[in-house]
């Protein structure tokens, strides 16, 4: 059990900057998910923490110990690899016991921990098998078991679910959350899948191009994204963005997207007074767009007109790919909404949930 | 109506037989070629084996294929004669004394080197590797005189350690090349996982790299063993003591002194073939795996 701290860590591979000025404090017992598109440096962060890579600059602490010069085996961490990296010539039991026997753990203690981990993961029947005799899901459990028996200060998981099929992934997600609660240890989990981040994390850290974008609770990142990247990355389907000009009228401020205009609610207008007649980025999530007939009570509704391009019925809801002027956007509306491709319909934006960003810095204008 | 299920039961069987026939005929040319090649290879060997069991009078007057006509005239005299009187027994032992360390030492050294070249970071790694691999093309003949002089200065001429060293040196470049390439194909995460599990480089090498590389090491062992076992040149130059001569040298001497006694030569030759055959058949499973290693990712 330990907190983990990165202080201004930099890592380059040749000319490529993998991680840039990365600072992050991870409290003890949190389930932190590092999320970002591929190549954003999230796996490098994990490898820096494990000691498989060395930082060019900056400090890394596990607990209160500076670990920059500590070899991987002395960092008291366990890592689950994307490929599971099970030792192919050893049985499941030996795979799990390997780390303990290297550390000269007494035999009875090894047996106790292996049995306990196997029980937690439901792989007691597989202990005598070789990795090649296991299914993907079973291998994944063995990889987890190998980490659990070590009783490390922190678990590092590098996209452990990406080789599982969709159904198993959902199931394993829940099991990982349960495992985290049960073990009460710091989990640091890397994924490119924001759904995994949202569902399992207690804290999400979003990365892009080697730079940490925002850190926070899943709900906070969803509701108050700090910049355009986080707003577009967290949430599925992704947020719609429009280049708009802030304009003033007798009844208050409105946003002009060219093909449509929407008024800004008074309580959100504050900072926009400074951006009068300037270009900003307006963002609205697909789920904050409604069909006029099926509006949730209590929203700040602003109607717009747009043409239906493509429809996707998901059963419980309706995805409408819309075109307004030269802009395309996605609306996620009630499944009963009547809409055919080519038809012009009215939709309602919930402006209480609007997002606005500076078009230069891409940073949010909401506090 | 009752005939229908019966018919539908026969049809698949017929189709299966047809498919088998088609496969048999489509592969027939390949099989014929393989059988012809195998016969071409086997005939001289069988001739050698048969001749080695025939009395000298027979060998010098008739061909080996006539041995299967009655009356059968077979004898073990040739073997007892070469083993006891002509030193083949001693030579067999010498060949073993030369070949086993001559195989084990280079493979041991090459596997350590291969691990370092494939997985450790150290300055000059690539240049050193290229230099070592380039040594593969150096002809042995070019090294004979300098090495012999070196051995003479260090009193290694005519000793077993001297010839072990020579075979190790000649075998290493290729062995290092082969093992480095093979070790390099092992997944990186596997090693990283072991390091995180607390393994030292030694542990990783002995508990992970070696067990996972058995096919490559086995096929290398066959190569190296056959090379050393069949070597005449290196033994001739560096091992000038008759009491330490391996079988290749002894057979060579038999040829010059008993040029006409074919029955003795055939027996001696067959003795020298037995062990490589045993080694090959014992390890051929690994051998085939080894030369196709990396072709298919498991």
């Amino acid at each position: 059990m330990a907190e983990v701290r990165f202080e201004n860590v930099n890592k380059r591979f040749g000319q490529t900057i993998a991680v840039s000025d990365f600072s992050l404090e991870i409290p003890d017992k949190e389930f932190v998910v590092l999320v970002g598109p591929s190549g954003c440096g999230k796996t490098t962060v994990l490898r820096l923490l494990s000691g498989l890579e060395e930082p060019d600059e900056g400090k890394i602490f596990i607990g209160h110990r500076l670990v920059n010069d500590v070899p991987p085996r002395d960092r008291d961490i366990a890592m689950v690899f994307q490929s599971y990296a099970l030792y192919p010539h050893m049985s499941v039991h030996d795979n799990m016991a390997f780390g303990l026997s290297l550390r000269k753990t007494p035999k009875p203690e090894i047996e106790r921990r292996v049995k306990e981990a196997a029980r937690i993961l439901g792989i007691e029947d597989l202990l005598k098998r070789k990795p090649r005799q296991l299914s993907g899901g079973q291998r994944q459990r063995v990889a987890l078991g190998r980490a659990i028996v070590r009783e490390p200060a922190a678990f590092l998981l590098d996209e452990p679910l990406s080789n599982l099929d969709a159904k198993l992934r959902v199931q394993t997600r829940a099991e990982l959350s349960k495992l985290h609660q049960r073990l009460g240890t710091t989990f640091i989990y890397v994924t490119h899948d924001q759904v995994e981040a949202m569902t399992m994390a207690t804290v999400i850290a979003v990365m892009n191009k080697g730079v940490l974008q925002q850190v926070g609770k899943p709900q906070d990142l969803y509701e108050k994204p700090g910049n355009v990247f986080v707003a577009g990355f967290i949430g599925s389907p992704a947020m719609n963005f429009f280049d708009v000009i802030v304009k003033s009228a007798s009844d208050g401020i409105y946003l002009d997207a060219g093909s449509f205009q929407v008024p800004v609610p008074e309580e959100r207008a504050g900072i926009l007074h400074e951006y009068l007649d300037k270009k900003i980025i307006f963002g609205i999530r697909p789920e904050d767009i409604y069909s006029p007939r099926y509006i949730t009570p209590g929203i700040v509704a602003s109607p717009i007109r747009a043409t239906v391009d493509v429809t996707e019925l998901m059963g419980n809801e309706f995805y409408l790919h819309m075109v307004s002027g030269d802009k395309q956007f996605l609306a996620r509306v009630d499944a009963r909404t009547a809409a055919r491709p080519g038809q012009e319909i009215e939709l309602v934006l919930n402006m209480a949930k609007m997002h606005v960003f500076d078009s230069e810095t891409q940073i949010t204008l909401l506090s | 109506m009752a005939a229908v299920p019966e018919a539908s039961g026969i049809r698949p069987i017929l189709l299966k037989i047809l498919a088998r026939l088609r496969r048999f005929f489509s592969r027939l040319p390949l099989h014929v070629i393989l059988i012809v090649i195998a016969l071409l290879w086997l005939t001289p060997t069988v001739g050698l084996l048969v001749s080695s069991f025939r009395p000298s009078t027979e060998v010098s007057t008739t061909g080996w294929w006539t041995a299967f006509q009655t009356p059968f005239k077979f004898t073990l005299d040739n073997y007892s004669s070469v083993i006891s009187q002509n030193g083949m027994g001693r030579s067999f032992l010498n060949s073993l004394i030369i070949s086993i360390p001559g195989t084990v030492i280079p493979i041991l050294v090459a596997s350590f080197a291969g691990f370092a070249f494939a997985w450790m970071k150290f300055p000059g790694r690539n240049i050193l590797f290229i230099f070592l691999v380039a040594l593969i093309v150096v002809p042995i003949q070019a090294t004979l005189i300098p090495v012999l002089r070196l051995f003479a200065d260090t009193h290694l001429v005519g000793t077993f350690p001297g010839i072990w060293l020579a075979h190790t040196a000649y075998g290493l470049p290729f062995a290092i090349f082969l093992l480095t390439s093979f070790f390099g194909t092992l997944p990186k995460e596997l090693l990283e996982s072991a390091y995180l599990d607390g393994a030292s480089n030694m542990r990783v090498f002995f508990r992970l790299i070696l067990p996972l590389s058995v096919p490559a090491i086995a096929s290398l062992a066959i190569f190296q063993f056959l090379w050393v076992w069949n070597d005449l040149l290196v033994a001739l130059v560096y091992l000038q003591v008759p009491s330490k001569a391996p079988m290749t040298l002894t057979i060579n001497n038999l040829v010059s002194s008993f040029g006409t006694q074919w029955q003795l030569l055939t027996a001696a030759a067959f003795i020298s073939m037995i062990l490589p055959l045993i080694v090959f058949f014992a390890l051929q499973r690994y051998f085939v795996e080894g030369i196709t290693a990396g072709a298919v990712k498991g």
Side-chain angles (χ1 to χ4, degrees):
Chain A
M1 273 159 276
E3 67 247 30
V4 170
R5 196 161 81 244
F6 292 87
E7 279 181 11
N8 311 97
V9 172
N10 282 292
K11 178 69 186 176
R12 284 175 293 274
F13 294 111
Q15 293 295 308
T16 324
I17 298 171
V19 174
S20 168
D21 198 27
F22 185 88
S23 293
L24 176 65
E25 203 160 323
I26 297 169
D28 191 14
K29 298 180 186 177
E30 294 288 341
F31 193 133
V32 181
V33 175
L34 285 170
V35 67
S38 37
C40 74
K42 53 193 191 298
T43 297
T44 307
V45 169
L46 207 63
R47 293 173 61 84
L48 285 166
L49 180 58
S50 67
L52 295 172
E53 304 285 350
E54 285 175 30
D56 296 323
E57 287 125 38
K59 294 175 181 167
I60 301 171
F61 295 88
I62 298 174
H64 294 291
R65 185 165 67 134
L66 179 68
V67 294
N68 281 38
D69 297 320
V70 177
R73 59 183 156 143
D74 297 328
R75 292 196 182 193
D76 196 16
I77 42 155
M79 188 155 165
V80 176
F81 290 85
Q82 183 172 3
S83 62
Y84 311 143
L86 301 180
Y87 310 126
H89 57 303
M90 296 185 198
S91 67
V92 167
H93 175 280
D94 292 351
N95 260 283
M96 286 163 63
F98 185 64
L100 295 176
S101 65
L102 286 178
R103 281 158 209 275
K104 311 253 184 299
T105 314
K107 261 255 162 67
E109 176 65 9
I110 294 179
E111 292 309 314
R112 189 189 67 74
R113 288 203 207 171
V114 169
K115 284 223 174 69
E116 171 71 6
R119 197 178 54 77
I120 293 175
L121 297 165
I123 50 171
E124 291 146 300
D125 302 339
L126 309 176
L127 287 176
K128 289 206 176 83
R129 291 208 204 160
K130 292 275 173 68
R132 64 170 178 276
Q133 299 167 304
L134 303 177
S135 71
Q138 290 168 334
R139 284 178 203 186
Q140 206 264 347
R141 278 155 195 274
V142 177
L144 273 175
R146 202 167 59 175
I148 291 173
V149 294
R150 292 261 315 277
E151 299 180 0
F155 284 91
L156 314 186
L157 302 105
D158 186 7
E159 310 224 8
L161 304 187
S162 58
N163 292 342
L164 302 182
D165 64 56
K167 196 174 164 192
L168 201 54
R169 209 177 301 166
V170 173
Q171 190 187 333
T172 314
R173 241 159 44 196
E175 283 175 13
L176 275 176
S177 294
K178 250 191 272 175
L179 192 64
H180 171 245
Q181 284 160 17
R182 179 169 185 161
L183 298 174
T185 308
T186 314
F187 272 50
I188 301 167
Y189 185 107
V190 160
T191 178
H192 62 271
D193 183 351
Q194 63 90 25
V195 178
E196 285 176 22
M198 291 296 282
T199 48
M200 290 187 291
T202 56
V203 175
I204 296 181
V206 183
M207 286 188 73
N208 188 32
K209 293 179 181 164
V211 179
L212 186 62
Q213 303 289 319
Q214 193 176 357
V215 182
K217 291 188 175 131
Q219 199 60 26
D220 288 348
L221 290 198
Y222 177 80
E223 284 173 1
K224 294 173 189 161
N227 60 31
V228 172
F229 179 80
V230 176
F233 197 80
I234 298 290
S236 174
M239 186 185 282
N240 300 300
F241 297 105
F242 304 91
D243 287 326
V244 297
I245 294 169
V246 183
K247 291 204 168 149
S248 168
S250 55
D251 54 346
I253 282 178
Y254 67 95
L255 303 176
D256 185 0
S259 56
F260 64 85
Q261 287 81 33
V262 281
V264 176
E266 192 50 45
E267 68 274 15
R268 300 230 144 189
I271 196 167
L272 292 182
H273 286 290
E274 295 167 26
Y275 284 83
L276 273 184
D277 296 320
K278 284 189 186 152
K279 225 167 90 173
I280 61 163
I281 297 168
F282 162 58
I284 187 95
R285 292 197 183 276
E287 51 269 40
D288 295 324
I289 303 176
Y290 293 85
S291 161
R293 287 185 62 185
Y294 308 104
I295 295 177
T296 309
I299 69 167
V300 182
S302 307
I304 63 165
R305 291 195 74 76
T307 310
V308 181
D309 190 16
V310 177
T311 63
E312 293 175 315
L313 184 62
M314 312 301 280
N316 58 338
E317 57 201 6
F318 212 7
Y319 286 6
L320 303 179
H321 295 260
M322 306 295 297
V323 180
S324 172
D326 58 350
K327 296 187 179 68
Q328 296 189 333
F329 65 96
L330 183 73
R332 190 170 148 185
V333 298
D334 193 287
R336 291 165 295 181
T337 308
R340 286 190 317 279
Q343 191 184 15
E344 194 186 79
I345 59 167
E346 189 180 81
L347 289 171
V348 170
L349 310 187
N350 177 11
M351 291 303 282
K353 294 281 181 73
M354 70 168 217
H355 298 270
V356 278
F357 306 92
D358 188 295
S359 55
E360 291 289 314
T361 62
Q362 307 226 321
I363 291 171
T364 184
L365 300 176
L366 303 174
S367 49
Chain B
M1 287 303 279
V4 174
E6 215 175 74
S8 66
I10 288 170
R11 249 182 84 85
I13 295 170
L14 271 176
L15 283 175
K16 214 182 263 176
I17 291 171
L18 262 175
R20 258 188 216 166
L21 276 176
R22 198 174 300 147
R23 202 167 60 202
F24 175 77
F25 281 111
S26 69
R27 288 188 183 177
L28 196 59
L30 180 70
H31 286 163
V32 169
I33 292 171
L34 285 178
I35 288 167
V36 168
I37 291 176
L39 280 178
L40 280 175
W41 244 269
L42 271 175
T43 312
T45 316
V46 172
L48 188 78
L49 179 65
V50 174
S51 296
S52 69
F53 287 107
R54 299 180 77 205
S56 59
T57 47
E58 295 293 315
V59 172
S60 51
T61 51
T62 53
W64 61 267
W65 52 92
T66 56
F68 300 107
Q69 295 160 351
T70 46
F72 294 121
K73 287 180 189 157
F74 289 117
T75 171
L76 285 171
D77 289 350
N78 302 331
Y79 283 91
S80 60
S81 154
V82 283
I83 290 172
S84 56
Q85 290 165 33
N86 300 303
M88 274 305 274
R90 177 69 219 174
S91 295
F92 188 88
L93 209 62
N94 287 342
S95 278
L96 278 180
I97 293 172
I98 294 168
S99 300
I100 292 173
T103 305
V104 173
I105 299 171
I107 286 179
L108 202 66
V109 176
S111 53
F112 280 122
F115 178 46
F117 280 123
W119 291 109
M120 288 180 181
K121 288 177 190 160
F122 55 89
R125 181 177 77 166
N126 289 343
I127 291 173
L128 193 59
F129 183 64
I130 289 169
F131 176 74
L132 270 176
V133 171
L135 290 178
I136 293 176
V137 301
V138 175
I140 282 191
Q141 290 82 346
T143 67
L144 292 179
I145 293 169
V147 174
L148 191 60
R149 292 191 59 171
L150 191 72
F151 275 17
D153 293 344
T154 48
H155 308 291
L156 284 168
V157 179
T159 64
F160 286 128
I163 200 160
W164 295 339
L165 270 181
H167 280 302
T168 302
Y170 293 132
L172 268 182
F174 177 70
I176 290 175
F177 171 70
L178 187 97
L179 290 183
T180 303
S181 336
F182 188 85
F183 294 166
T185 61
L186 297 173
K188 187 176 161 201
E189 286 97 352
L190 222 52
L191 280 83
E192 290 179 339
S193 184
Y195 288 125
L196 284 171
D197 260 347
S200 58
N201 278 327
M202 275 300 201
R203 294 283 183 139
V204 168
F205 180 74
F206 284 109
R207 300 280 306 263
L208 226 56
I209 302 274
L210 283 192
L212 291 176
S213 305
V214 170
I217 291 172
S219 54
L220 184 62
I222 297 178
F223 271 128
Q224 180 70 11
F225 184 84
L226 290 185
W227 158 252
V228 176
W229 186 265
N230 292 328
D231 162 76
L232 174 65
L233 184 59
V234 176
L236 200 58
V237 175
Y238 300 132
L239 204 67
Q240 299 151 349
V241 187
S243 64
K244 291 177 181 167
M247 280 191 293
T248 46
L249 263 183
T250 309
I251 293 174
N252 184 46
N253 294 338
L254 282 180
V255 174
S256 31
S257 49
F258 303 101
T260 49
Q261 298 200 318
W262 293 111
Q263 78 286 357
L264 292 183
L265 280 179
T266 50
F270 201 77
I271 293 173
S272 78
M273 278 172 57
I274 292 172
L275 203 66
L277 281 177
I278 292 172
V279 169
F280 182 81
F281 283 116
L283 297 179
Q284 64 103 12
R285 186 167 65 93
Y286 296 113
F287 188 58
V288 174
E289 265 178 46
I291 43 183
T292 58
V296 191
K297 229 182 161 186

